[in-house]
Amino acid sequence: MKKIILDTDPGIDDAMAIFTAMAHPQIELLGLTTTFGNVSVEQATTNALSLVEMAGLDIPVAKGVGTPWVKELNPFPDFVHGVDGFGNVNLPAPKGQPIAQSAAQYIVEQVNACPGEITLVAVGPLGNLAAALQIDPSIAEKVKEVVLMGGVIAADGNVSPVAEANILSDPHAADKVMAAAWSVVIVGLDVTHQVVLNNALFAKIAKENTKVGQFMADAAQFYIDFYSSIRDIDGCYAHDVSAVAYVVDSSMFGTIEGEVCVATDGVAIGQTIMSRFGIPYPLTFWQGRPKQKACMQVDSTKLVALFEDAMTSDYWN
Ligand code: RIB
Ligand code: CA
């Protein structure tokens, strides 16, 4: 079993990733930490508690950062995830409460308790991971790996020609994460734009998963409607679940590596820039940084099958 803490801004595709992590036999989901991003951190925390409750699980939810490290908070993309973050399905309020610790404190405590064992899976802006590094820089040596949905190296961005939403939401935090002495795997738009989840799949999930299937299909419909309106696809992209899939089976991805800097201002703000050509440049921003990995190819058929199997497994019935 691979122990993970999932840092999230739920979020419709976050829900897909969280449910997949809950159900997959190779994953031990220790807890959820929440951040602003698709919605406010308050709404993200409520949504995380709702997902845990819906699944009948008893795992901690720790509330995290509500604003970026430096830049202004952007308006929340309610046209992508709905005002409630779940496509305006408007779930009843969850009964549970977040734990007293902040997300960053929870991450530090768990990583120090299980050095070398925990993978941080981040599928939202990266303020909680940056805050955890600030509390205890030594966690960089104790985290097994950071696998993050975010960024784009060579493909089309989704919030600018060169930037992806999670990184743009907090570029200063993202740059700290890329510069730290831990192993980061960027599961970015280079691969998630190759993985489409269609209506027929969600209809199957609604039919076979009697616990959370109908909710997932209803929320996904809002996401599909958005993507069908701006991209020529019959479905929605499997952004966040691709990060969980990497933890389960990294062999379905092809990767490159290099030092990574994140642009924190100007026209390219939010761009993840990897020095990947082995050329010693006169500009030294990348010098002294660790090489990080970025996923550039993916077996999308295998990834969709992993999601489908997790969402229709006996775990839910
Ligand atoms: O760019 C896609 C990412 O931004 C996903 O994590 C989605 O949930 C949003 O947070
Ligand atoms: Ca997300």
Side-chain angles (χ1 to χ4, degrees), residues 13-298:
D13 63 319
D14 301 69
M16 298 174 198
I18 292 165
F19 285 150
T20 300
M22 286 171 175
H24 200 284
Q26 287 181 42
I27 298 274
E28 182 185 355
L29 179 59
L30 299 176
L32 299 177
T33 52
T34 62
T35 172
F36 78 92
N38 291 322
V39 291
S40 69
V41 68
E42 290 77 18
Q43 186 65 56
T45 305
T46 296
N47 288 351
L49 289 164
S50 294
L51 296 177
V52 167
E53 211 160 280
M54 206 186 294
L57 267 185
D58 181 16
I59 58 169
V61 171
K63 180 179 173 190
V65 294
T67 57
W69 271 62
V70 175
K71 69 189 278 287
E72 286 297 306
L73 183 64
N74 292 335
F76 303 120
D78 53 15
F79 55 95
V80 183
H81 293 268
V83 172
D84 68 346
F86 286 152
N88 299 329
V89 296
N90 296 315
L91 292 173
K95 297 178 186 64
Q97 289 292 321
I99 59 174
Q101 283 171 307
S102 72
Q105 289 163 340
Y106 173 74
I107 290 168
V108 167
E109 177 202 70
Q110 292 297 310
V111 168
N112 277 305
C114 304
E117 294 181 40
I118 296 175
T119 299
L120 301 182
V121 181
V123 296
L126 294 166
N128 291 329
L129 273 66
L133 283 168
Q134 189 174 54
I135 293 171
D136 180 358
S138 78
I139 64 165
E141 289 85 54
K142 298 169 189 167
V143 164
K144 184 176 179 184
E145 196 166 47
V146 175
V147 179
L148 63 89
M149 191 282 135
V152 55
I153 303 300
D156 46 320
N158 60 6
V159 286
S160 89
V162 294
E164 177 279 329
N166 287 337
I167 305 299
L168 178 68
S169 289
D170 199 341
H172 297 83
D175 191 53
K176 287 178 190 300
V177 168
M178 301 298 177
W182 49 19
S183 300
V184 175
V185 180
I186 295 170
V187 184
L189 302 180
D190 305 275
V191 291
T192 66
H193 276 171
Q194 297 176 43
V195 190
V196 177
L197 306 172
N198 61 29
N199 281 298
L201 171 56
F202 287 104
K204 182 173 194 281
I205 290 168
K207 183 163 169 280
E208 297 184 16
N209 182 329
T210 55
K211 190 170 269 187
V212 303
Q214 191 56 55
F215 158 78
M216 194 69 265
D218 293 346
Q221 189 54 58
F222 190 96
Y223 207 44
I224 289 170
D225 291 348
F226 165 71
Y227 271 112
S228 306
S229 71
I230 61 153
R231 299 266 179 159
D232 181 19
I233 59 169
D234 166 31
C236 61
Y237 291 123
H239 291 305
D240 292 347
V241 70
S242 296
V244 174
Y246 182 92
V247 176
V248 170
D249 179 7
S250 60
S251 73
M252 70 172 83
F253 294 86
T255 61
I256 59 171
E257 62 175 31
E259 298 86 351
V260 179
C261 291
V262 177
T264 54
D265 59 20
V267 68
I269 185 171
Q271 184 176 11
T272 40
I273 309 166
M274 179 181 272
S275 176
R276 52 197 172 104
F277 306 106
I279 299 169
Y281 296 106
L283 274 183
T284 57
F285 295 112
W286 291 265
Q287 275 178 20
R289 290 192 173 213
K291 287 186 188 296
Q292 308 296 11
K293 274 188 192 153
C295 297
M296 302 301 280
Q297 297 86 27
V298 61

